[in-house]
Amino acid sequence: MAAVPFALALVVVESQWVPLHRLDRGAAERLHAAALAHPDRVALLRVLSDWVWDPVTMRLLVAVLVAWLVSRRAWRLAAWAGVTAVAGGLIGLLAKSAVERARPHLPDPVAHAPGFSFPSGHAMTATTTCAVLLLVLLPLIPRAWRALPWAVALVTVAGVGYTRVALGVHWVSDVVGGWLLGLGVVTATALVFEAWRSDTGRRRSVVAEGLEPELTGPDPEVLPTEPPVPAPPAGRRPETDQFQPLAPQRVPGGGAAPDRGQASPPTASTSEGERPC
């Protein structure tokens, strides 16, 4: 199910749907004209695209995160982050090679990029990286501040897409395909991680809490134990003893005291007429 949106986008791109082609062409031409009219903006776009939001920079962030998780002995979470980043890169390359879509050809291009166009590797890497960082680090961020990292992630993902189209190296549909494929990869690996957690006896987490809420503890891999049952207060009988039957009392002569609900048997001195009716 996680790959369904990307599969639909792929079908639309491969079928060369006319409305999509018109949208791609119109957006590319307008942004290219704006880039030619403002060369100073092109320099800023290149810095953002080639350095700040470059896939190598994004993957280095994930590598630093994995190293930190290993130092915290969060082996399971470190494995998930590394596998998600590597799987995203490999799946993106396979998709590019399978589709073989040409990049935009514009007059007086302001930037060049090698390889095929669909899906955008920059957009996909930004999506997977921001998702990994969010899902890992959210438990460490106070609830009052959690809107800030979400906003930074959204600005980063949207900004990467804008720079790639504005520089004339991708179509709009390439960027959307990269976003969808990145979300599909993260969703698939997160579901596997949740199943892994369930097998170890941990409760299911929610997106707002991150993948591993136990990361806030000293040892995230230790399974939390149930709290001990408190002992009853001193001088109070346990509940299990409150309704136990009393032992029969002994009476002088060695016999047992009769039950309150039973009549006493007649004694030898009782006459026949005095027997109870």
mmCIF file of all heavy atoms in Angstrom, residues 8-53:
data_model
loop_
_atom_site.group_PDB
_atom_site.id
_atom_site.type_symbol
_atom_site.label_atom_id
_atom_site.label_comp_id
_atom_site.label_asym_id
_atom_site.label_seq_id
_atom_site.Cartn_x
_atom_site.Cartn_y
_atom_site.Cartn_z
ATOM 1 N N LEU A 8 0.947 5.110 -9.094
ATOM 2 C CA LEU A 8 0.013 5.910 -9.890
ATOM 3 C C LEU A 8 0.728 7.043 -10.598
ATOM 4 O O LEU A 8 0.456 7.325 -11.783
ATOM 5 C CB LEU A 8 -1.095 6.454 -8.980
ATOM 6 C CG LEU A 8 -2.039 5.410 -8.371
ATOM 7 C CD1 LEU A 8 -3.020 6.078 -7.415
ATOM 8 C CD2 LEU A 8 -2.786 4.660 -9.462
ATOM 9 N N ALA A 9 1.641 7.719 -9.891
ATOM 10 C CA ALA A 9 2.402 8.798 -10.527
ATOM 11 C C ALA A 9 3.257 8.258 -11.668
ATOM 12 O O ALA A 9 3.385 8.902 -12.725
ATOM 13 C CB ALA A 9 3.283 9.497 -9.485
ATOM 14 N N LEU A 10 3.827 7.087 -11.485
ATOM 15 C CA LEU A 10 4.642 6.487 -12.539
ATOM 16 C C LEU A 10 3.803 6.176 -13.774
ATOM 17 O O LEU A 10 4.241 6.411 -14.916
ATOM 18 C CB LEU A 10 5.304 5.221 -12.003
ATOM 19 C CG LEU A 10 6.152 4.416 -12.985
ATOM 20 C CD1 LEU A 10 7.287 5.263 -13.538
ATOM 21 C CD2 LEU A 10 6.687 3.157 -12.313
ATOM 22 N N VAL A 11 2.601 5.655 -13.559
ATOM 23 C CA VAL A 11 1.732 5.342 -14.689
ATOM 24 C C VAL A 11 1.374 6.611 -15.460
ATOM 25 O O VAL A 11 1.377 6.639 -16.700
ATOM 26 C CB VAL A 11 0.467 4.619 -14.192
ATOM 27 C CG1 VAL A 11 -0.573 4.518 -15.310
ATOM 28 C CG2 VAL A 11 0.819 3.236 -13.669
ATOM 29 N N VAL A 12 1.074 7.683 -14.743
ATOM 30 C CA VAL A 12 0.709 8.942 -15.402
ATOM 31 C C VAL A 12 1.889 9.494 -16.195
ATOM 32 O O VAL A 12 1.734 9.993 -17.322
ATOM 33 C CB VAL A 12 0.217 9.960 -14.355
ATOM 34 C CG1 VAL A 12 0.012 11.325 -14.998
ATOM 35 C CG2 VAL A 12 -1.074 9.476 -13.714
ATOM 36 N N VAL A 13 3.082 9.405 -15.629
ATOM 37 C CA VAL A 13 4.266 9.919 -16.326
ATOM 38 C C VAL A 13 4.562 9.084 -17.571
ATOM 39 O O VAL A 13 4.841 9.620 -18.656
ATOM 40 C CB VAL A 13 5.472 9.936 -15.363
ATOM 41 C CG1 VAL A 13 6.769 10.193 -16.144
ATOM 42 C CG2 VAL A 13 5.287 11.016 -14.312
ATOM 43 N N GLU A 14 4.521 7.765 -17.422
ATOM 44 C CA GLU A 14 4.841 6.888 -18.550
ATOM 45 C C GLU A 14 3.809 6.977 -19.675
ATOM 46 O O GLU A 14 4.153 6.794 -20.847
ATOM 47 C CB GLU A 14 4.941 5.440 -18.063
ATOM 48 C CG GLU A 14 6.210 5.135 -17.285
ATOM 49 C CD GLU A 14 7.429 5.060 -18.173
ATOM 50 O OE1 GLU A 14 7.992 6.139 -18.475
ATOM 51 O OE2 GLU A 14 7.822 3.960 -18.583
ATOM 52 N N SER A 15 2.575 7.273 -19.319
ATOM 53 C CA SER A 15 1.540 7.403 -20.357
ATOM 54 C C SER A 15 1.589 8.742 -21.071
ATOM 55 O O SER A 15 0.822 8.958 -22.017
ATOM 56 C CB SER A 15 0.161 7.203 -19.727
ATOM 57 O OG SER A 15 -0.108 8.220 -18.773
ATOM 58 N N GLN A 16 2.471 9.642 -20.592
ATOM 59 C CA GLN A 16 2.613 10.974 -21.192
ATOM 60 C C GLN A 16 1.261 11.697 -21.264
ATOM 61 O O GLN A 16 0.833 12.195 -22.308
ATOM 62 C CB GLN A 16 3.243 10.872 -22.588
ATOM 63 C CG GLN A 16 4.638 10.285 -22.572
ATOM 64 C CD GLN A 16 5.273 10.214 -23.939
ATOM 65 O OE1 GLN A 16 4.647 10.547 -24.956
ATOM 66 N NE2 GLN A 16 6.534 9.795 -23.987
ATOM 67 N N TRP A 17 0.621 11.728 -20.119
ATOM 68 C CA TRP A 17 -0.683 12.383 -20.006
ATOM 69 C C TRP A 17 -0.553 13.856 -20.389
ATOM 70 O O TRP A 17 0.315 14.570 -19.871
ATOM 71 C CB TRP A 17 -1.195 12.218 -18.585
ATOM 72 C CG TRP A 17 -2.625 12.573 -18.379
ATOM 73 C CD1 TRP A 17 -3.651 12.338 -19.219
ATOM 74 C CD2 TRP A 17 -3.162 13.222 -17.221
ATOM 75 N NE1 TRP A 17 -4.820 12.791 -18.674
ATOM 76 C CE2 TRP A 17 -4.556 13.343 -17.442
ATOM 77 C CE3 TRP A 17 -2.620 13.706 -16.021
ATOM 78 C CZ2 TRP A 17 -5.416 13.934 -16.521
ATOM 79 C CZ3 TRP A 17 -3.467 14.283 -15.099
ATOM 80 C CH2 TRP A 17 -4.839 14.392 -15.347
ATOM 81 N N VAL A 18 -1.390 14.314 -21.272
ATOM 82 C CA VAL A 18 -1.263 15.667 -21.820
ATOM 83 C C VAL A 18 -1.383 16.753 -20.750
ATOM 84 O O VAL A 18 -0.559 17.682 -20.718
ATOM 85 C CB VAL A 18 -2.291 15.883 -22.943
ATOM 86 C CG1 VAL A 18 -2.260 17.334 -23.436
ATOM 87 C CG2 VAL A 18 -2.026 14.927 -24.102
ATOM 88 N N PRO A 19 -2.370 16.717 -19.845
ATOM 89 C CA PRO A 19 -2.416 17.769 -18.812
ATOM 90 C C PRO A 19 -1.159 17.822 -17.952
ATOM 91 O O PRO A 19 -0.693 18.909 -17.587
ATOM 92 C CB PRO A 19 -3.648 17.387 -17.988
ATOM 93 C CG PRO A 19 -4.516 16.625 -18.923
ATOM 94 C CD PRO A 19 -3.563 15.845 -19.780
ATOM 95 N N LEU A 20 -0.587 16.657 -17.629
ATOM 96 C CA LEU A 20 0.643 16.650 -16.840
ATOM 97 C C LEU A 20 1.798 17.231 -17.643
ATOM 98 O O LEU A 20 2.609 18.006 -17.116
ATOM 99 C CB LEU A 20 0.975 15.224 -16.399
ATOM 100 C CG LEU A 20 2.261 15.068 -15.579
ATOM 101 C CD1 LEU A 20 2.158 15.826 -14.267
ATOM 102 C CD2 LEU A 20 2.560 13.594 -15.323
ATOM 103 N N HIS A 21 1.890 16.876 -18.924
ATOM 104 C CA HIS A 21 2.947 17.434 -19.769
ATOM 105 C C HIS A 21 2.825 18.946 -19.860
ATOM 106 O O HIS A 21 3.828 19.672 -19.822
ATOM 107 C CB HIS A 21 2.872 16.804 -21.160
ATOM 108 C CG HIS A 21 3.874 17.364 -22.118
ATOM 109 N ND1 HIS A 21 5.212 17.066 -22.055
ATOM 110 C CD2 HIS A 21 3.729 18.245 -23.163
ATOM 111 C CE1 HIS A 21 5.854 17.706 -23.013
ATOM 112 N NE2 HIS A 21 4.974 18.430 -23.696
ATOM 113 N N ARG A 22 1.593 19.441 -19.963
ATOM 114 C CA ARG A 22 1.383 20.890 -20.037
ATOM 115 C C ARG A 22 1.802 21.564 -18.730
ATOM 116 O O ARG A 22 2.414 22.644 -18.747
ATOM 117 C CB ARG A 22 -0.083 21.168 -20.348
ATOM 118 C CG ARG A 22 -0.386 22.625 -20.682
ATOM 119 C CD ARG A 22 -1.862 22.835 -20.968
ATOM 120 N NE ARG A 22 -2.292 22.012 -22.089
ATOM 121 C CZ ARG A 22 -3.211 21.064 -22.009
ATOM 122 N NH1 ARG A 22 -3.791 20.803 -20.848
ATOM 123 N NH2 ARG A 22 -3.562 20.360 -23.072
ATOM 124 N N LEU A 23 1.476 20.945 -17.611
ATOM 125 C CA LEU A 23 1.870 21.500 -16.306
ATOM 126 C C LEU A 23 3.381 21.525 -16.162
ATOM 127 O O LEU A 23 3.967 22.547 -15.733
ATOM 128 C CB LEU A 23 1.247 20.665 -15.189
ATOM 129 C CG LEU A 23 1.717 20.976 -13.766
ATOM 130 C CD1 LEU A 23 1.296 22.380 -13.352
ATOM 131 C CD2 LEU A 23 1.165 19.945 -12.770
ATOM 132 N N ASP A 24 4.045 20.438 -16.505
ATOM 133 C CA ASP A 24 5.506 20.382 -16.398
ATOM 134 C C ASP A 24 6.162 21.444 -17.267
ATOM 135 O O ASP A 24 7.061 22.175 -16.823
ATOM 136 C CB ASP A 24 6.000 18.984 -16.805
ATOM 137 C CG ASP A 24 5.798 17.959 -15.710
ATOM 138 O OD1 ASP A 24 5.644 18.356 -14.539
ATOM 139 O OD2 ASP A 24 5.790 16.754 -16.021
ATOM 140 N N ARG A 25 5.746 21.527 -18.507
ATOM 141 C CA ARG A 25 6.348 22.469 -19.439
ATOM 142 C C ARG A 25 6.106 23.910 -18.996
ATOM 143 O O ARG A 25 7.020 24.748 -19.025
ATOM 144 C CB ARG A 25 5.784 22.226 -20.833
ATOM 145 C CG ARG A 25 6.251 23.218 -21.895
ATOM 146 C CD ARG A 25 7.748 23.200 -22.101
ATOM 147 N NE ARG A 25 8.215 21.907 -22.563
ATOM 148 C CZ ARG A 25 9.505 21.679 -22.874
ATOM 149 N NH1 ARG A 25 10.423 22.627 -22.710
ATOM 150 N NH2 ARG A 25 9.882 20.480 -23.288
ATOM 151 N N GLY A 26 4.898 24.236 -18.598
ATOM 152 C CA GLY A 26 4.595 25.607 -18.183
ATOM 153 C C GLY A 26 5.379 26.032 -16.956
ATOM 154 O O GLY A 26 5.934 27.143 -16.921
ATOM 155 N N ALA A 27 5.464 25.168 -15.939
ATOM 156 C CA ALA A 27 6.210 25.515 -14.730
ATOM 157 C C ALA A 27 7.695 25.669 -15.033
ATOM 158 O O ALA A 27 8.353 26.598 -14.537
ATOM 159 C CB ALA A 27 5.994 24.446 -13.665
ATOM 160 N N ALA A 28 8.245 24.779 -15.859
ATOM 161 C CA ALA A 28 9.673 24.866 -16.192
ATOM 162 C C ALA A 28 9.989 26.154 -16.939
ATOM 163 O O ALA A 28 11.003 26.816 -16.650
ATOM 164 C CB ALA A 28 10.077 23.654 -17.025
ATOM 165 N N GLU A 29 9.157 26.536 -17.872
ATOM 166 C CA GLU A 29 9.431 27.749 -18.650
ATOM 167 C C GLU A 29 9.307 29.006 -17.799
ATOM 168 O O GLU A 29 10.121 29.929 -17.928
ATOM 169 C CB GLU A 29 8.485 27.808 -19.844
ATOM 170 C CG GLU A 29 8.791 26.741 -20.904
ATOM 171 C CD GLU A 29 7.791 26.767 -22.040
ATOM 172 O OE1 GLU A 29 6.771 27.506 -21.915
ATOM 173 O OE2 GLU A 29 7.993 26.049 -23.038
ATOM 174 N N ARG A 30 8.311 29.062 -16.937
ATOM 175 C CA ARG A 30 8.148 30.263 -16.092
ATOM 176 C C ARG A 30 9.299 30.407 -15.108
ATOM 177 O O ARG A 30 9.853 31.507 -14.942
ATOM 178 C CB ARG A 30 6.820 30.176 -15.335
ATOM 179 C CG ARG A 30 5.595 30.444 -16.208
ATOM 180 C CD ARG A 30 4.358 30.664 -15.358
ATOM 181 N NE ARG A 30 4.056 29.506 -14.521
ATOM 182 C CZ ARG A 30 3.297 28.496 -14.917
ATOM 183 N NH1 ARG A 30 2.759 28.491 -16.138
ATOM 184 N NH2 ARG A 30 3.059 27.476 -14.115
ATOM 185 N N LEU A 31 9.674 29.327 -14.449
ATOM 186 C CA LEU A 31 10.770 29.417 -13.485
ATOM 187 C C LEU A 31 12.106 29.650 -14.174
ATOM 188 O O LEU A 31 12.986 30.334 -13.629
ATOM 189 C CB LEU A 31 10.820 28.135 -12.644
ATOM 190 C CG LEU A 31 9.656 27.944 -11.672
ATOM 191 C CD1 LEU A 31 9.782 26.615 -10.935
ATOM 192 C CD2 LEU A 31 9.608 29.083 -10.658
ATOM 193 N N HIS A 32 12.275 29.120 -15.375
ATOM 194 C CA HIS A 32 13.511 29.368 -16.103
ATOM 195 C C HIS A 32 13.620 30.824 -16.520
ATOM 196 O O HIS A 32 14.715 31.423 -16.440
ATOM 197 C CB HIS A 32 13.572 28.464 -17.333
ATOM 198 C CG HIS A 32 14.841 28.604 -18.106
ATOM 199 N ND1 HIS A 32 16.079 28.295 -17.591
ATOM 200 C CD2 HIS A 32 15.073 29.044 -19.390
ATOM 201 C CE1 HIS A 32 17.018 28.518 -18.482
ATOM 202 N NE2 HIS A 32 16.429 28.974 -19.594
ATOM 203 N N ALA A 33 12.512 31.419 -16.938
ATOM 204 C CA ALA A 33 12.525 32.846 -17.286
ATOM 205 C C ALA A 33 12.860 33.693 -16.065
ATOM 206 O O ALA A 33 13.615 34.682 -16.175
ATOM 207 C CB ALA A 33 11.175 33.241 -17.870
ATOM 208 N N ALA A 34 12.321 33.343 -14.918
ATOM 209 C CA ALA A 34 12.643 34.083 -13.695
ATOM 210 C C ALA A 34 14.110 33.933 -13.323
ATOM 211 O O ALA A 34 14.751 34.884 -12.862
ATOM 212 C CB ALA A 34 11.758 33.600 -12.557
ATOM 213 N N ALA A 35 14.675 32.745 -13.548
ATOM 214 C CA ALA A 35 16.095 32.540 -13.239
ATOM 215 C C ALA A 35 16.987 33.366 -14.154
ATOM 216 O O ALA A 35 17.990 33.935 -13.709
ATOM 217 C CB ALA A 35 16.437 31.055 -13.355
ATOM 218 N N LEU A 36 16.636 33.442 -15.428
ATOM 219 C CA LEU A 36 17.437 34.259 -16.349
ATOM 220 C C LEU A 36 17.330 35.739 -16.016
ATOM 221 O O LEU A 36 18.305 36.493 -16.198
ATOM 222 C CB LEU A 36 16.962 34.007 -17.787
ATOM 223 C CG LEU A 36 17.257 32.616 -18.357
ATOM 224 C CD1 LEU A 36 16.663 32.482 -19.758
ATOM 225 C CD2 LEU A 36 18.752 32.337 -18.380
ATOM 226 N N ALA A 37 16.187 36.176 -15.516
ATOM 227 C CA ALA A 37 16.014 37.590 -15.180
ATOM 228 C C ALA A 37 16.700 37.966 -13.874
ATOM 229 O O ALA A 37 16.984 39.143 -13.645
ATOM 230 C CB ALA A 37 14.529 37.920 -15.100
ATOM 231 N N HIS A 38 16.988 37.004 -13.012
ATOM 232 C CA HIS A 38 17.605 37.291 -11.707
ATOM 233 C C HIS A 38 18.771 36.324 -11.489
ATOM 234 O O HIS A 38 18.649 35.324 -10.767
ATOM 235 C CB HIS A 38 16.580 37.138 -10.584
ATOM 236 C CG HIS A 38 15.374 38.006 -10.747
ATOM 237 N ND1 HIS A 38 15.370 39.354 -10.429
ATOM 238 C CD2 HIS A 38 14.125 37.731 -11.226
ATOM 239 C CE1 HIS A 38 14.175 39.862 -10.667
ATOM 240 N NE2 HIS A 38 13.399 38.901 -11.159
ATOM 241 N N PRO A 39 19.910 36.610 -12.099
ATOM 242 C CA PRO A 39 21.045 35.688 -11.941
ATOM 243 C C PRO A 39 21.556 35.575 -10.513
ATOM 244 O O PRO A 39 22.152 34.559 -10.144
ATOM 245 C CB PRO A 39 22.116 36.287 -12.867
ATOM 246 C CG PRO A 39 21.660 37.656 -13.187
ATOM 247 C CD PRO A 39 20.204 37.724 -12.993
ATOM 248 N N ASP A 40 21.334 36.615 -9.692
ATOM 249 C CA ASP A 40 21.770 36.526 -8.297
ATOM 250 C C ASP A 40 20.999 35.447 -7.543
ATOM 251 O O ASP A 40 21.536 34.777 -6.658
ATOM 252 C CB ASP A 40 21.600 37.880 -7.613
ATOM 253 C CG ASP A 40 20.181 38.429 -7.746
ATOM 254 O OD1 ASP A 40 19.533 38.113 -8.761
ATOM 255 O OD2 ASP A 40 19.731 39.147 -6.845
ATOM 256 N N ARG A 41 19.730 35.256 -7.891
ATOM 257 C CA ARG A 41 18.955 34.193 -7.258
ATOM 258 C C ARG A 41 19.459 32.814 -7.672
ATOM 259 O O ARG A 41 19.383 31.857 -6.892
ATOM 260 C CB ARG A 41 17.477 34.332 -7.626
ATOM 261 C CG ARG A 41 16.832 35.623 -7.119
ATOM 262 C CD ARG A 41 15.368 35.660 -7.513
ATOM 263 N NE ARG A 41 14.753 36.929 -7.152
ATOM 264 C CZ ARG A 41 13.489 37.255 -7.430
ATOM 265 N NH1 ARG A 41 12.720 36.376 -8.087
ATOM 266 N NH2 ARG A 41 13.009 38.430 -7.075
ATOM 267 N N VAL A 42 19.959 32.728 -8.872
ATOM 268 C CA VAL A 42 20.482 31.441 -9.342
ATOM 269 C C VAL A 42 21.652 30.991 -8.466
ATOM 270 O O VAL A 42 21.771 29.803 -8.133
ATOM 271 C CB VAL A 42 20.895 31.539 -10.813
ATOM 272 C CG1 VAL A 42 21.571 30.252 -11.265
ATOM 273 C CG2 VAL A 42 19.689 31.841 -11.684
ATOM 274 N N ALA A 43 22.515 31.935 -8.097
ATOM 275 C CA ALA A 43 23.643 31.577 -7.238
ATOM 276 C C ALA A 43 23.164 31.022 -5.902
ATOM 277 O O ALA A 43 23.700 30.021 -5.393
ATOM 278 C CB ALA A 43 24.529 32.802 -7.020
ATOM 279 N N LEU A 44 22.124 31.652 -5.325
ATOM 280 C CA LEU A 44 21.592 31.155 -4.059
ATOM 281 C C LEU A 44 20.956 29.779 -4.232
ATOM 282 O O LEU A 44 21.149 28.879 -3.395
ATOM 283 C CB LEU A 44 20.562 32.151 -3.515
ATOM 284 C CG LEU A 44 19.826 31.722 -2.232
ATOM 285 C CD1 LEU A 44 20.815 31.509 -1.098
ATOM 286 C CD2 LEU A 44 18.763 32.751 -1.863
ATOM 287 N N LEU A 45 20.226 29.606 -5.329
ATOM 288 C CA LEU A 45 19.599 28.305 -5.575
ATOM 289 C C LEU A 45 20.640 27.206 -5.740
ATOM 290 O O LEU A 45 20.450 26.078 -5.262
ATOM 291 C CB LEU A 45 18.714 28.383 -6.824
ATOM 292 C CG LEU A 45 17.464 29.270 -6.729
ATOM 293 C CD1 LEU A 45 16.759 29.326 -8.084
ATOM 294 C CD2 LEU A 45 16.534 28.775 -5.653
ATOM 295 N N ARG A 46 21.737 27.530 -6.374
ATOM 296 C CA ARG A 46 22.788 26.530 -6.568
ATOM 297 C C ARG A 46 23.439 26.153 -5.243
ATOM 298 O O ARG A 46 23.784 24.985 -5.012
ATOM 299 C CB ARG A 46 23.828 27.036 -7.564
ATOM 300 C CG ARG A 46 23.311 27.135 -8.988
ATOM 301 C CD ARG A 46 24.436 27.585 -9.922
ATOM 302 N NE ARG A 46 25.461 26.559 -10.004
ATOM 303 C CZ ARG A 46 25.491 25.610 -10.940
ATOM 304 N NH1 ARG A 46 24.533 25.548 -11.852
ATOM 305 N NH2 ARG A 46 26.454 24.727 -10.972
ATOM 306 N N VAL A 47 23.649 27.139 -4.367
ATOM 307 C CA VAL A 47 24.231 26.833 -3.055
ATOM 308 C C VAL A 47 23.299 25.921 -2.262
ATOM 309 O O VAL A 47 23.731 24.930 -1.650
ATOM 310 C CB VAL A 47 24.519 28.138 -2.286
ATOM 311 C CG1 VAL A 47 24.878 27.828 -0.832
ATOM 312 C CG2 VAL A 47 25.642 28.917 -2.956
ATOM 313 N N LEU A 48 22.011 26.245 -2.283
ATOM 314 C CA LEU A 48 21.054 25.419 -1.544
ATOM 315 C C LEU A 48 20.971 24.006 -2.123
ATOM 316 O O LEU A 48 20.942 23.012 -1.378
ATOM 317 C CB LEU A 48 19.674 26.077 -1.573
ATOM 318 C CG LEU A 48 19.517 27.377 -0.783
ATOM 319 C CD1 LEU A 48 18.139 27.991 -1.034
ATOM 320 C CD2 LEU A 48 19.735 27.142 0.703
ATOM 321 N N SER A 49 20.933 23.916 -3.450
ATOM 322 C CA SER A 49 20.752 22.620 -4.089
ATOM 323 C C SER A 49 22.011 21.776 -4.087
ATOM 324 O O SER A 49 21.942 20.548 -3.909
ATOM 325 C CB SER A 49 20.266 22.821 -5.530
ATOM 326 O OG SER A 49 20.062 21.590 -6.179
ATOM 327 N N ASP A 50 23.170 22.412 -4.275
ATOM 328 C CA ASP A 50 24.418 21.662 -4.430
ATOM 329 C C ASP A 50 25.170 21.448 -3.127
ATOM 330 O O ASP A 50 26.083 20.609 -3.090
ATOM 331 C CB ASP A 50 25.331 22.375 -5.432
ATOM 332 C CG ASP A 50 24.712 22.456 -6.829
ATOM 333 O OD1 ASP A 50 23.764 21.685 -7.096
ATOM 334 O OD2 ASP A 50 25.159 23.286 -7.637
ATOM 335 N N TRP A 51 24.821 22.206 -2.074
ATOM 336 C CA TRP A 51 25.554 22.083 -0.829
ATOM 337 C C TRP A 51 24.655 21.818 0.379
ATOM 338 O O TRP A 51 24.801 20.798 1.052
ATOM 339 C CB TRP A 51 26.396 23.352 -0.582
ATOM 340 C CG TRP A 51 27.485 23.529 -1.578
ATOM 341 C CD1 TRP A 51 27.456 24.293 -2.719
ATOM 342 C CD2 TRP A 51 28.774 22.911 -1.564
ATOM 343 N NE1 TRP A 51 28.635 24.195 -3.413
ATOM 344 C CE2 TRP A 51 29.472 23.359 -2.719
ATOM 345 C CE3 TRP A 51 29.425 22.038 -0.694
ATOM 346 C CZ2 TRP A 51 30.765 22.937 -3.015
ATOM 347 C CZ3 TRP A 51 30.713 21.631 -0.982
ATOM 348 C CH2 TRP A 51 31.363 22.078 -2.130
ATOM 349 N N VAL A 52 23.739 22.740 0.643
ATOM 350 C CA VAL A 52 22.919 22.616 1.856
ATOM 351 C C VAL A 52 22.003 21.412 1.779
ATOM 352 O O VAL A 52 21.910 20.610 2.728
ATOM 353 C CB VAL A 52 22.114 23.910 2.069
ATOM 354 C CG1 VAL A 52 21.241 23.790 3.324
ATOM 355 C CG2 VAL A 52 23.045 25.114 2.188
ATOM 356 N N TRP A 53 21.290 21.256 0.644
ATOM 357 C CA TRP A 53 20.318 20.176 0.495
ATOM 358 C C TRP A 53 20.797 19.099 -0.468
ATOM 359 O O TRP A 53 19.992 18.323 -0.992
ATOM 360 C CB TRP A 53 18.982 20.741 0.006
ATOM 361 C CG TRP A 53 18.308 21.615 1.032
ATOM 362 C CD1 TRP A 53 18.376 21.487 2.383
ATOM 363 C CD2 TRP A 53 17.460 22.743 0.777
ATOM 364 N NE1 TRP A 53 17.626 22.452 2.993
ATOM 365 C CE2 TRP A 53 17.047 23.241 2.032
ATOM 366 C CE3 TRP A 53 17.004 23.375 -0.382
ATOM 367 C CZ2 TRP A 53 16.207 24.344 2.164
ATOM 368 C CZ3 TRP A 53 16.164 24.471 -0.249
ATOM 369 C CH2 TRP A 53 15.770 24.952 1.012
#
